Structures are given as C-alpha cells and as structure tokens.
Amino acid sequence: HLGEDPWFEDLDAAGAYLRRVRAESGRLTEEQSRRMTERAVRTAPQGGYRLHYDPSLALRYRATSLRDLDLWDTWDALTCAVLVLRGAESDFLLEETTREMSRRGPGATIVEIESCGHAPPLMDPTQFAPIIDWLGPPAESARA
C-alpha cells in the first residue's frame, strides 16, 4: 500500500482502510484503532480525508531493490546503544537479521513483540514497556 493516496469520505472509511492494511500490526481495541486513524489522516482540501504522509516515498523503494541493499558497514560504525523492536511475525525485518544486529555493530538489544508483524503500533503496555525498561530511570538532571 506504500505510495497509495486514497481519499476517504469520513474517519470510519479511513479506519476500515487502515485496519485492513495494518492488520499484521496486531489487534487493537476500538479506541486504539480510532486514535491511530485520527493521527494517520489529514483533512483533504476538497473535504474528507487523506493519509498524512507523502505517497512519493514509494518512489525510492521502487527505484531500488531492497534485497540488494547492504547497510552492514553503516550498522558496524554505530557506537550508541540501540534497541530494536521486531514484530515476531514481521516479513520485513527478519529474525536472522536481528540476530546479526545483536552480534555485530553496537550489539543491539532485541525485543520481539508477539502476535505482531512489522511496525508494532506501541499502543499496548506489553509493546511499550520494554522501551521504558531499556531506557531506565530518568537522569537526576532530568528530574530537576
């Protein structure tokens, strides 16, 4: 669906579309789904709604074969701590890739989100709690 620029008559139509294209992201409550929809769309000039992103982003992906893209030199040059969240059912970020990410470069901490494909929505404590745990308590200077 990357590169699509659909128009929606109302938020319900936009929500139905987003639930369909993001189904692999895991189950959301009605409230979470509505909140995600409200953040994912913008009012269209002619009325109704459009997705709140630039569909031309797809042009870069179409021009390049992602299978031939090798970013390991860039990854190996990182020196900061890295947390990688991977939806356990993702067919985009593969499990063997995350294993390699934890082995080399900055030695990423990997967290797998169960019952989720690519791009966990991070709207459930089981999905965002690992981020809070990884970040740790705020520094003293941040509390002041």
Side-chain angles (χ1 to χ4, degrees):
H1 64 86
L2 186 63
E4 292 180 2
D5 190 19
W7 175 85
F8 309 103
E9 183 175 340
D10 54 35
L11 286 175
D12 290 337
Y17 170 85
L18 290 168
R19 281 190 300 279
R20 181 176 56 79
V21 300
R22 294 181 175 170
E24 72 168 28
S25 292
R27 295 178 51 169
L28 297 175
T29 65
E30 282 298 317
E31 179 184 335
Q32 291 168 334
S33 181
R34 183 73 171 194
R35 195 167 1 140
M36 183 177 280
T37 299
E38 289 169 351
R39 291 183 175 136
V41 298
R42 60 181 164 71
T43 304
Q46 72 275 27
Y49 297 89
R50 292 221 179 265
L51 295 177
H52 192 60
Y53 86 116
D54 183 354
S56 67
L57 289 170
L59 298 175
R60 179 73 175 146
Y61 289 100
R62 289 185 188 127
T64 306
S65 170
L66 292 179
R67 298 196 192 304
D68 297 333
L69 192 59
D70 184 344
L71 297 173
W72 288 116
D73 286 343
T74 303
W75 179 257
D76 291 338
L78 292 176
T79 58
C80 61
V82 176
L83 173 66
V84 175
L85 301 177
R86 177 184 180 275
E89 298 170 20
S90 176
D91 58 359
F92 187 77
L93 179 56
L94 303 178
E95 185 177 6
E96 53 267 26
T97 303
T98 57
R99 277 197 305 269
E100 189 70 4
M101 292 170 88
S102 70
R103 189 187 71 72
R104 60 192 283 182
T109 300
I110 309 298
V111 173
E112 278 208 347
I113 308 294
E114 293 300 320
S115 303
C116 185
H118 186 64
L122 305 178
M123 298 181 88
D124 181 281
T126 62
Q127 294 182 2
F128 62 75
I131 300 168
I132 295 167
D133 292 344
W134 185 80
L135 290 171
E140 276 302 314
S141 61
R143 290 190 200 132

